[in-house]
Amino acid sequence: MEKGIREILIGLKRPLQIGFGAALLTALITLFMPNYYRSEARILPVETKNLGSGLGNLAAAAAAFGVGVPSADGGDANFVDILSSRWMREALLKTPFTFKARSWRFGAEKARTQTLSDYLKIKNLDRGVKEVGALISASRDLKSKVLTLSVETPAPELSQQVAQRTTKLLETFVQEKGRTRGGYKAAFAEARLKEARDEMALAEDEFRRFLDGNRNYLASADPSVRIRGARLEAELKLRQQLVMTLAMNREQALMEEKNDIPILNVLDPGNLPIDKSRPARSIIVLLAFFLVSAGSWAWLNREWIRERLLDAEDEKTVTPETEKI
């Protein structure tokens, strides 16, 4: 028994040596891999009175900026699509950031002011959009509806600033680009009110010209004069009432527009990461050690493994008839 264990240990010595050498080489290689730092921002959309309809129209406006089709599990899921949209990524590529970064793995940190496009050394806009998509991820918790935005770059300050800038862009999109139902109603009411005022002014001019020659038209002996004067006066009153009604509707639509705009509560604006998020060098080294050791042992004992496999196949091919023979 002891002899068998000793033989096994002796057989493992060479593979372990090879695995240990591979682990050392992997450790040296991983030292030159850049560190990445992750900053996270958490956002809670607050439901308003008409948030459902507002987000529905918000999704329609978002489609014009390359935002995907809204999800069916809730209106607030549109925010994830906005954070992942091409419009958002292009805006981030053009934004200048001031941060400290290393020119290489063991270099000294230097302050720099660059756009994200210059920092990533991207000349092709389509490729830049893909690169930003690899750095930024957004998710939504189905129960709490909290949006989590994660940004991972080689510079801690850059990760924080990109997360904060993305949050600001989302707020800007919601407040300025999001066209709600109240906004459409307010715009229509404003245009209709202007038309009604112009029509009222024309009615006033026509009635004034009539009164210039018929000041006491109600006491006129001519029935046609009385009828025309009554018609012009009724038309003017109708126009005045219409203007008053449209003005009230416009004010109501403006109030609905304010109520329809979704509100964003920023729970975490984006932290300044201290510890790196990747690479996990110890795990990489251990995996390299075990994989190379196992592969080396299999290669050094390939004849024994082949014989074992052939013996197993021979046992499977033995049938009861062949055993009787």
Side-chain angles (χ1 to χ4, degrees), residues 31 96 100 103 128 229 238 317 319:
L31 288 177
K100 293 181 179 179
S103 58
L238 177 62
T317 55
T319 60

Side-chain angles (χ1 to χ4, degrees), residues 193-254:
L193 179 60
K194 183 179 179 181
E195 294 177 359
R197 284 173 174 169
D198 294 338
E199 293 172 356
M200 185 181 68
L202 293 176
E204 288 176 344
D205 291 340
E206 187 176 358
F207 189 47
R208 184 175 59 254
R209 288 194 300 270
F210 174 78
L211 290 177
D212 288 341
N214 303 278
R215 293 183 180 277
N216 297 319
Y217 70 92
L218 293 177
S220 176
D222 190 351
S224 61
V225 173
R226 294 197 303 271
I227 291 174
R228 187 166 184 266
R231 181 179 61 80
L232 292 175
E233 184 178 3
E235 181 69 17
L236 178 59
K237 290 182 179 179
L238 177 62
R239 295 299 175 186
Q240 290 174 343
Q241 184 178 2
L242 179 60
V243 168
M244 184 180 300
T245 302
L246 289 174
M248 294 178 62
N249 290 339
R250 184 194 61 176
E251 295 300 324
Q252 183 179 1
L254 290 173

